[in-house]
């Protein structure tokens, strides 16, 4: 799609977000594990879930986790949230277990055990599958934005400074917007 900006050396950071309110904590994405980092040749600085404790958030107490999509770098530590309900666009789950995963170019961004884990959580009634825009709580909205993955969603969070969009992989770099070239993993 117009060239890959990853053809040259480029450092890449991976993010997990948390929205902390007076009555609710919502984690947005769960990063990836150290084992996955080793397999994929990624630099692993620290466990993002352990790092939440630096903000006073303990994964064991979190009741809501938004998964923007099921790529390995967004869902890998789901098992660290034993009480959480996971909020995911239904289209993403269908995509991750559907016909297109037979194609390496599309499947390479998923870890099959992570996807299977989310399927198991769904059977355990811990996944809330969404179909479009959803208000998770006052001041936290989820919006579908398919393209990078079939069920990609972003979060819109009201903060003390106003609304903030946690875009996830709706766009990767400013360069993608400036050059009108989407990231190469796209439908």
């Amino acid at each position: 799609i117009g060239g890959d900006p990853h053809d040259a050396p480029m450092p890449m950071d991976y993010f997990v977000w948390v929205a902390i309110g007076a009555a609710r904590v919502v984690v947005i994405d769960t990063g990836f594990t150290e084992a996955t980092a080793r397999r994929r040749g990624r630099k692993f600085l620290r466990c993002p879930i352990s790092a939440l404790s630096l903000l006073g958030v303990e994964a064991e107490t979190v009741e809501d986790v938004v998964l923007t999509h099921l790529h390995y770098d967004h869902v890998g530590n789901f098992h660290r949230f034993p009480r959480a309900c996971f909020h995911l666009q239904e289209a993403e789950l269908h995509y991750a277990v559907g016909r297109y995963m037979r194609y390496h170019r599309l499947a390479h961004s998923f870890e099959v055990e992570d996807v299977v884990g989310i399927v198991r959580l769904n059977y355990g009634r811990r996944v809330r599958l969404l179909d479009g825009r959803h208000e998770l709580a006052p001041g936290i909205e989820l919006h579908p934005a398919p393209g990078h993955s079939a069920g990609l969603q972003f979060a819109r969070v009201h903060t003390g400074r106003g609304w903030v969009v946690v875009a996830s992989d709706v766009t990767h770099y400013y360069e993608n917007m400036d050059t009108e070239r989407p990231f190469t993993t796209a439908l």
Side-chain angles (χ1 to χ4, degrees), residues 139-140 155-166:
I140 301 178
R156 185 173 178 247
V157 180
H158 195 267
T159 72
R161 295 182 301 182
W163 288 99
V164 171
V165 170
V166 179

Side-chain angles (χ1 to χ4, degrees), residues 156-178:
R156 185 173 178 247
V157 180
H158 195 267
T159 72
R161 295 182 301 182
W163 288 99
V164 171
V165 170
V166 179
S168 181
D169 287 352
V170 172
T171 187
H172 281 74
Y173 304 110
Y174 287 113
E175 177 184 352
N176 295 120
M177 292 183 286
D178 293 342

Side-chain angles (χ1 to χ4, degrees), residues 14-181:
Y14 297 88
F15 296 93
V16 168
W17 299 272
V18 61
I20 301 172
R24 189 177 208 143
V25 171
V26 176
V27 172
I28 304 168
D29 287 337
T30 61
F32 54 90
T33 65
E34 188 170 11
T36 297
R38 274 193 308 276
R39 267 194 319 280
R40 290 179 174 264
R42 303 291 187 256
K43 188 173 185 179
F44 191 82
L45 299 177
R46 68 173 59 172
C47 173
I49 308 314
S50 298
L52 290 174
S53 65
L54 299 172
L55 300 171
V57 175
E58 300 303 324
E60 299 80 21
T61 66
V62 172
E63 294 185 10
D64 293 291
V65 173
V66 171
L67 296 175
T68 60
H69 58 304
L70 294 177
H71 285 171
Y72 79 93
D73 53 323
H74 297 267
V75 68
N77 290 293
F78 69 89
H79 62 282
R80 302 279 306 269
F81 295 89
R83 294 180 56 195
C85 175
F86 294 84
H87 305 271
L88 176 71
Q89 291 291 323
E90 187 170 6
E92 183 67 4
L93 187 59
H94 287 234
Y95 180 61
V97 301
R99 72 176 81 186
Y100 298 110
M101 292 305 104
R102 67 184 305 144
Y103 301 106
H104 174 74
R105 185 76 190 128
L106 298 173
H108 80 281
S109 296
F110 296 88
E111 287 284 325
V112 70
E113 293 306 317
D114 293 342
V115 174
V116 169
I118 296 303
V119 170
R120 285 190 178 105
L121 288 177
N122 189 41
Y123 271 82
R125 295 177 301 282
R126 290 186 49 211
V127 178
R128 182 161 188 194
L129 295 172
L130 310 173
D131 184 19
R133 185 194 170 281
H134 176 73
E135 183 179 47
L136 177 59
I140 301 178
E141 301 172 351
L142 306 177
H143 297 266
H148 173 67
S149 192
L152 178 66
Q153 64 182 343
F154 66 88
R156 185 173 178 247
V157 180
H158 195 267
T159 72
R161 295 182 301 182
W163 288 99
V164 171
V165 170
V166 179
S168 181
D169 287 352
V170 172
T171 187
H172 281 74
Y173 304 110
Y174 287 113
E175 177 184 352
N176 295 120
M177 292 183 286
D178 293 342
T179 62
E180 296 181 358
R181 290 183 345 196

